[in-house]
Amino acid sequence: MSELFIEVLSEEIPYWLQKNIVEQFKTKLHDVIIENQLSGSETFNINFHFTPLRLIFFCDNLINEQKSSTEIIKGPAVDAPDTAIEGFIKNIGISKKELKKKDFKKKTYYFAKHEKIGRKSEDIIKENLEKIIRSLNWQKSMRWSHSSFRWGRPLKNILFYFDSKNIPLNFLENYSVDNNPFTISHKKVDKELRFKNFNQYKKKLLNSKVIIEHQKREEKIKKEISRFCQSKKILLKNEHNNLISLNAGLVEFPSILFGKIHKDFMSLPQEILEAVMINDQNFIPLFNKNNNLSSYFVIVSDYIKKEFYKKITEDNEKVLQARFADASFYWKNDLKIKFEERLSLLSDIQFHEKLGSFEDKEKRIESIAQVLVETLKVKCNSTELLLAAKLSKLDLTTGLVREFPELQGIIGGYIAEKQKIKDASKNVYLALKEQYLPKGPLDLCPKNDLSYILSLSDKLDTLLGFFLIAEIPSASKDPYALRRAALGILRIIIENNLKIKLEPFLKEIVHIYNLPNISNFKVKDLIIFLTERFKFLLKSITKKQDVVNSFFTHKTYNSNFLILYKKFLALNEFIKKGKGKKIIELNKRALNIVTIEGKKMHIKNSIDTALLKEKQEFILVEKLNQIENIIKFEQENFQNILNEISSLHLPLNNFFDNVMVNVNDLKIKSNRLSILKRVLDTLKTYADFSKIQK
Amino acid sequence: MVSKKNVLSFQDIIFNLQSFWSKNNCTIVQPIDLQVGAGTFHPLTALGVLGKKSRNIAYVQPTRRPADGRYGKNPNRLQHYYQFQVLLKPTPKNIQSIFLRSLKAIEIDHKKNNIEFKEDDWESPTLGASGLGWEIRCNGMEISQYTYLQQIGGIDCDPVSVEITYGLERLAMFIQKVNNVFDIIWNINKKENKVIKYRDIYLESEKQFSKYNFEYANTDYLFKSFEFMESECKDLLKNNLPLPAFENCIKASHYFNILDSRGVIGVAQRQSYILKIRTLVKSCCESWIKQES
């Protein structure tokens, strides 16, 4: 078997682009190999790795050359016009003498023997590499030098090895990209590395401080953190695993250093310290056993000799201290002004040209929150709710939030708490801190009544507002992060078990926007947008696109997302079980018959009971009636409905075993097809089971 | 503190960078004699990146950001400071390694420090410019900005230039290990055994200009001047004089910055001023490129 190995070397590619691009490249390379039949075994797979500088592809079970093959191709009839015969010869590339005559269906035709000569795998891959690098879809890319060619950052070199041999890629000249037969070590080692094959490449790189596997870089970081944590009796939080991945994606060989926060700053709110460390410096915070921030943090540096650890740690600590000093300055300053007094400043901060200032937004949040409380019938202290809404945006006027925008909400909560606002309780402070949650998929949803009502009101206002002024996200642009707002709304609804029909609710609150042309607005468009986000959410929860597809048929329109969610979960559980699988099977069988026969004759929607003959027919129709009734009455008990649906199994199976559909009497045949159609329709009221893969 | 005798002074840093880039194919030019918010505004960069002619230049550019003044009280902030700017068009192939060597010329050895290329795509709303690149950090501190300029005045750069901007005060603080910008050693006069610090040269100026920028600048005059520069710029463009037109743009932009620091420009108004400047820059770029080609 032949070995293929490619290294694509660039200047530092941002982490968020790396994985996507390496996977695209791999898929395209995979397709080239499959389309050209270059794979030497059935379980063919391309291994790939990436570092900030390198994309690496490796595969060791390719064939060296395509198989040659001979085919006999039928040409025109012997008495066909000369032009047709000449065209045929030209196409295949042989002379007329080489044609053979042969009879075929009572006529004589020319036949040609066409030999397809297998080409060398390396040539085919080489030719396709140019296409691949031109066709990658970068989320963000650039030009450099003279070229109009785009890449994430300047592309430096491509190495292509086949069977331990370097294959030159001449096309790279046109892109001002090198085609050196060697690679470079870690920048700090600063060597050119030559090698014979992939294994040697990997070893030599490791010796010169490049770990090509992202996962191994992550493991190295985790291992050293864990050792440190044990010695200091502190912890790494799971939620910071992303931060470790990010750090592993920024270096070729992680050197792990541990810094310490100066004790003067430990009295600042913990979130401020965390935000500065994480967002500004990618430092990883560590925690005490009681979940409070410890004074230690992790610095991941690209490879550095041990003798320099101390100085680099100190330098990093110094940078952090300067940032903390900034934050501390703002914190003290912000506390000097009474929080409520900031209310007058809100009108100066614009939310959106057409949607007014943050003062306007805050007033709308108040109104929406009140309607929400009534609709959801939650017991919520209305003084506290109005207070929380009123205070919610005040921290936008603070220096801290201007400096650390990601801390909005949290800062407000802290200031309010510190200044002990009149009538405010712990719930109010918490609601202020949690009002933007969930921001991303990893965030928890607020659970406290006051918190989720505030968060929901704010998000609904944003979403509805932008839809009302027709600022709707496009495929590539979502400047106001409405998708995120929609996901937040859906998660709050399902995770807090909130029964709410959003369509009538939104209709009720539309009037609070002081906007022209509100009557033209279709709430339905917004529900459809939410439904799309809902599908995305369900897919990310279950990882099953097919089940999501089966669940959303063109009829699925409901603005009560909690109900939809429960219905979906029931389905997802159901199909994992034996009875679910049986229903999928039977649905498929019925669908096959109805599809095939439906092409030949019209199938009526109604069943003519007068035409029922066999016992099994009566039983099945009776069962169908029963199920339809249950679906009507048990609207929300989805497990029950699915149990009923699965009880179709026995009568349907008996029907298939004992009743002949394809009978000569067309009326009876048609009626039996109508029964099957009704089975399909009944199942479809729940989901399109034919879309579920096993 | 590093021993004073051997420390690389602020002026040494400038000398070393100039001599390094001079040896690396650059013409050392002088700053633009106007108040600018960034080295990129220098016409040799702002207009020079457009068109086909190759260009390799380096210069020190005094830079003004009125709103960043802190009356000389903040150890890290100044309303007037220095950038060392390098512009290379087209981008040389091995530019990253040249850049790392330039750091060594000012005693920052990338083998002994953690030099990080942190994604930082640059955009200037007033210049209508954008580029992709990195913020260069040394042991966590930002010391330089490295950008492949893609567009300026809304026009695609072809060929593409690379712009490297060193924040000289930051570099000096790092190299000299001082925590306060005013403690930077500007020069060591060995004959008289005298140390001249940043404080001695600029502290008073920071105090006075902070007062001017935040309290005393005559806003009526500035608003009117802005309008005047705007119309002057347009007139000059009608007469195909993009270079003087662009200087008027630069002035307008500075007046806007002072107005902003005086706190008299609202959010919506701010956008409209930025747009005005961008429109002027765009017209200058278009006029300039017409003459170039």
Side-chain angles (χ1 to χ4, degrees), chain B residues 4-282:
Chain B
K4 276 183 192 165
K5 271 182 198 160
N6 302 321
V7 76
L8 207 58
S9 70
F10 194 76
Q11 67 188 37
D12 290 334
I13 293 173
I14 295 178
F15 297 152
N16 289 9
L17 283 174
Q18 283 181 336
S19 113
F20 176 87
W21 285 105
S22 169
K23 280 177 207 144
N24 279 280
N25 206 19
C26 278
T27 304
I28 307 299
V29 294
Q30 299 303 321
I32 171 93
D33 54 342
L34 290 174
Q35 294 135 320
V36 292
T40 317
F41 274 89
H42 196 307
L44 289 177
T45 293
L47 300 175
V49 295
L50 294 168
K52 300 281 178 197
K53 279 182 205 156
S54 68
R55 193 181 285 264
N56 297 308
I57 52 170
Y59 52 93
V60 174
Q61 180 62 53
T63 308
R64 306 254 191 165
R65 304 232 169 125
D68 282 353
R70 291 293 182 272
Y71 299 86
K73 285 181 182 162
N74 185 301
N76 293 302
R77 296 222 187 180
L78 299 167
Q79 54 84 42
H80 170 283
Y81 57 98
Y82 290 95
Q83 292 185 339
F84 189 90
Q85 173 94 358
V86 181
L87 183 86
L88 307 167
K89 174 171 109 178
T91 51
K93 254 186 186 174
N94 53 343
I95 173 63
Q96 265 198 342
S97 66
I98 301 176
F99 169 72
L100 288 177
R101 277 195 285 124
S102 80
L103 292 181
K104 206 165 177 184
I106 46 173
E107 297 178 358
I108 299 180
D109 184 344
H110 84 279
K111 292 188 180 178
K112 298 180 183 167
N113 293 284
N114 183 31
I115 306 291
E116 188 187 340
F117 286 71
K118 189 170 189 281
E119 176 187 17
D120 191 19
D121 299 337
W122 172 82
E123 227 172 288
S124 163
T126 42
L127 285 175
S130 64
L132 267 70
W134 308 276
E135 170 186 315
I136 312 298
R137 290 189 172 190
C138 176
N139 303 344
M141 179 154 99
E142 179 186 354
I143 53 167
S144 181
Q145 195 77 33
Y146 179 125
T147 311
Y148 293 99
L149 290 169
Q150 304 287 301
Q151 237 190 21
I152 204 154
I155 302 171
D156 275 346
C157 302
D158 179 26
V160 172
S161 309
V162 64
E163 180 196 58
I164 299 171
T165 307
Y166 302 79
L168 288 172
E169 284 81 358
R170 291 279 192 99
L171 273 174
M173 285 169 79
F174 180 81
I175 293 165
Q176 300 179 2
K177 296 188 195 310
V178 297
N179 294 327
N180 186 325
V181 66
F182 296 105
D183 288 334
I184 291 173
I185 295 169
W186 187 291
N187 178 31
I188 304 164
N189 184 333
K190 283 184 182 137
K191 241 183 204 166
E192 297 177 20
N193 198 19
K194 211 173 129 194
V195 171
I196 310 290
K197 291 197 171 175
Y198 205 92
R199 166 181 291 108
D200 305 323
I201 304 177
Y202 280 116
L203 181 61
E204 185 56 26
S205 150
E206 279 301 311
K207 288 180 186 168
Q208 292 195 15
F209 273 96
S210 294
K211 280 195 171 173
Y212 170 76
N213 298 336
F214 292 123
E215 302 166 42
Y216 291 98
N218 182 326
T219 53
D220 284 347
Y221 164 78
L222 289 168
F223 275 122
K224 279 183 201 139
S225 304
F226 184 97
E227 270 170 47
F228 178 72
M229 294 304 154
E230 189 184 12
S231 76
E232 175 90 331
C233 175
K234 287 178 185 163
D235 286 346
L236 290 167
L237 284 173
K238 278 182 205 146
N239 294 300
N240 293 322
L241 294 168
L243 289 171
F246 186 67
E247 288 200 354
N248 280 283
C249 246
I250 291 177
K251 288 182 192 167
S253 170
H254 180 61
Y255 295 149
F256 162 70
N257 286 341
I258 302 175
L259 286 166
D260 199 24
S261 72
R262 285 284 274 117
V264 291
I265 296 183
V267 184
Q269 210 181 2
R270 199 163 186 277
Q271 279 308 316
S272 97
Y273 271 94
I274 288 175
L275 194 65
K276 277 185 191 173
I277 300 168
R278 181 162 56 202
T279 314
L280 295 180
V281 172
K282 192 166 185 266

Side-chain angles (χ1 to χ4, degrees), chain A residues 78-315:
Chain A
V78 262
D79 52 1
D82 281 353
T83 49
I85 298 169
E86 275 157 26
F88 178 64
I89 297 173
K90 211 172 154 197
N91 257 342
I92 294 181
I94 53 170
S95 69
K96 198 171 174 183
K97 277 185 224 156
E98 292 171 83
L99 290 178
K100 296 254 156 55
K101 289 177 194 170
K102 222 174 159 185
D103 288 347
F104 182 75
K105 287 192 178 167
K106 296 179 188 163
K107 227 175 156 189
T108 311
Y109 289 88
Y110 281 119
F111 280 82
K113 200 169 165 190
H114 179 56
E115 277 181 60
K116 208 174 149 202
I117 296 164
R119 300 185 55 215
K120 279 183 161 181
S121 302
E122 59 179 71
D123 290 340
I124 296 174
I125 296 168
K126 187 165 110 179
E127 280 166 19
N128 279 287
L129 273 178
E130 184 173 6
K131 275 186 215 151
I132 294 177
I133 65 162
R134 289 188 67 100
S135 66
L136 296 179
N137 185 14
W138 290 87
Q139 284 146 294
K140 201 167 191 184
S141 64
M142 56 165 277
R143 297 174 294 120
W144 66 97
S145 192
H146 281 288
S147 176
S148 62
F149 174 64
R150 303 184 79 91
W151 199 254
R153 286 294 183 274
L155 176 56
K156 307 297 287 178
N157 190 53
I158 301 185
L159 255 178
F160 172 36
Y161 266 67
F162 198 84
D163 267 347
S164 309
K165 190 175 72 192
N166 175 256
I167 316 276
L169 301 169
N170 303 327
F171 68 86
L172 288 176
E173 255 175 65
N174 309 330
Y175 301 94
S176 21
V177 173
D178 288 338
N179 186 212
N180 298 320
F182 54 83
T183 190
I184 51 158
S185 66
H186 192 284
K187 274 187 196 168
K188 289 207 168 83
V189 179
D190 203 11
K191 268 197 264 178
E192 283 172 8
L193 304 177
R194 287 165 201 272
F195 39 84
K196 289 220 172 75
N197 53 33
F198 179 66
N199 256 337
Q200 237 181 42
Y201 163 85
K202 212 164 116 176
K203 257 184 223 151
K204 284 205 170 177
L205 270 181
L206 188 60
N207 285 336
S208 63
K209 303 301 173 195
V210 179
I211 301 175
I212 62 171
E213 299 95 340
H214 184 260
Q215 202 190 337
K216 285 202 179 152
R217 294 193 301 272
E218 277 181 4
E219 280 161 11
K220 183 172 190 293
I221 299 173
K222 278 188 194 159
K223 213 168 114 190
E224 292 182 36
I225 292 180
S226 143
R227 200 180 306 144
F228 180 80
C229 282
Q230 265 171 17
S231 72
K232 300 280 177 199
K233 298 205 166 53
I234 49 177
L235 300 167
L236 169 73
K237 273 193 184 170
N238 271 342
E239 66 194 73
H240 292 135
N241 278 337
N242 278 359
L243 202 50
I244 290 180
S245 302
L246 167 68
N247 272 297
L250 298 176
V251 297
E252 293 214 290
F253 187 99
S255 291
I256 292 96
L257 286 61
F258 297 93
K260 212 165 175 217
I261 302 170
H262 193 280
K263 61 179 187 323
D264 290 357
F265 299 109
M266 289 303 287
S267 59
L268 280 173
Q270 183 165 323
E271 285 90 343
I272 297 181
L273 299 175
E274 277 183 58
V276 173
M277 283 195 281
I278 296 174
N279 302 345
D280 281 13
Q281 308 292 135
N282 296 330
F283 293 159
I284 306 162
L286 298 171
F287 294 80
N288 291 322
K289 293 260 152 76
N290 57 8
N291 253 344
N292 284 334
L293 190 71
S294 82
S295 57
Y296 294 101
F297 62 91
V298 186
I299 306 160
V300 178
S301 159
D302 211 347
Y303 168 68
I304 199 86
K305 282 191 186 146
K306 281 244 160 67
E307 55 188 295
F308 305 116
Y309 274 25
K310 191 164 169 264
K311 179 183 183 284
I312 292 175
T313 307
E314 285 168 3
D315 282 351

